[in-house]
């Protein structure tokens, strides 16, 4: 198993959204605490794991990272696809698919 490395990310994307319900706990959308509870299951696996995250999330991940998986700190806005956000937003206005 140690020849395989899994790569994942943990970002608080709810902070980036403009949805009026984004800070309403788990009443409409899962918040970062709900995601962290699910993420702990992955952190508890004895696998090779690389985690991309933003500076504000590092402490929360490290406190649950019992296998010392590799953490790479990279602000969300520096991820490769961030530059396409204006196009994504434009397409969402034009071809919006409701998911709530």
């Amino acid at each position: 198993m140690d020849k395989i490395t899994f790569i994942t990310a943990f970002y608080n994307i709810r902070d980036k959204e403009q949805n009026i319900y984004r800070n309403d706990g788990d009443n409409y959308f899962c918040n970062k605490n709900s995601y962290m509870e699910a993420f702990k299951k992955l952190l508890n696996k004895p696998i090779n794991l690389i985690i991309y995250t933003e500076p504000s999330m590092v402490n929360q991940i490290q406190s649950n990272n019992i296998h010392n998986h590799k953490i790479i700190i990279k602000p969300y806005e520096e991820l490769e696809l961030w530059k396409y956000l204006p196009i994504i937003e434009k397409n969402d206005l034009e071809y919006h698919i409701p998911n709530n």
Side-chain angles (χ1 to χ4, degrees), residues 25-37:
D26 283 335
N27 294 325
Y28 293 92
F29 299 104
C30 293
N31 62 28
K32 75 176 183 179
N33 293 328
S34 295
Y35 283 114
M36 177 50 78
E37 286 304 311

Side-chain angles (χ1 to χ4, degrees), residues 5-99:
T5 298
F6 297 89
I7 300 172
T8 190
F10 193 77
Y11 288 89
N12 188 2
I13 59 172
R14 294 291 177 220
D15 281 351
K16 313 283 187 261
E17 295 175 331
Q18 298 305 311
N19 190 301
I20 59 172
Y21 300 116
R22 70 185 180 275
N23 295 318
D24 193 22
D26 283 335
N27 294 325
Y28 293 92
F29 299 104
C30 293
N31 62 28
K32 75 176 183 179
N33 293 328
S34 295
Y35 283 114
M36 177 50 78
E37 286 304 311
F39 195 55
K40 284 179 186 177
K41 294 176 184 172
L42 185 60
L43 289 173
N44 289 330
K45 301 281 185 209
I47 59 176
N48 295 326
L49 182 63
I50 296 173
I51 307 160
Y52 282 86
T53 193
E54 57 196 323
S56 64
M57 303 297 287
V58 172
N59 289 339
Q60 193 171 10
I61 293 171
Q62 283 178 333
S63 65
N64 292 288
N65 188 6
I66 64 172
H67 293 289
N68 295 316
H69 302 299
K70 182 173 182 169
I71 298 172
I72 298 175
I73 302 167
K74 189 165 191 164
Y76 195 72
E77 293 79 8
E78 291 180 13
L79 294 176
E80 183 62 31
L81 296 178
W82 180 260
K83 62 187 173 194
Y84 298 109
L85 181 62
I87 296 168
I88 293 167
E89 290 174 334
K90 178 181 175 280
N91 287 339
D92 183 52
L93 286 174
E94 196 169 332
Y95 307 105
H96 182 71
I97 300 171
N99 65 355

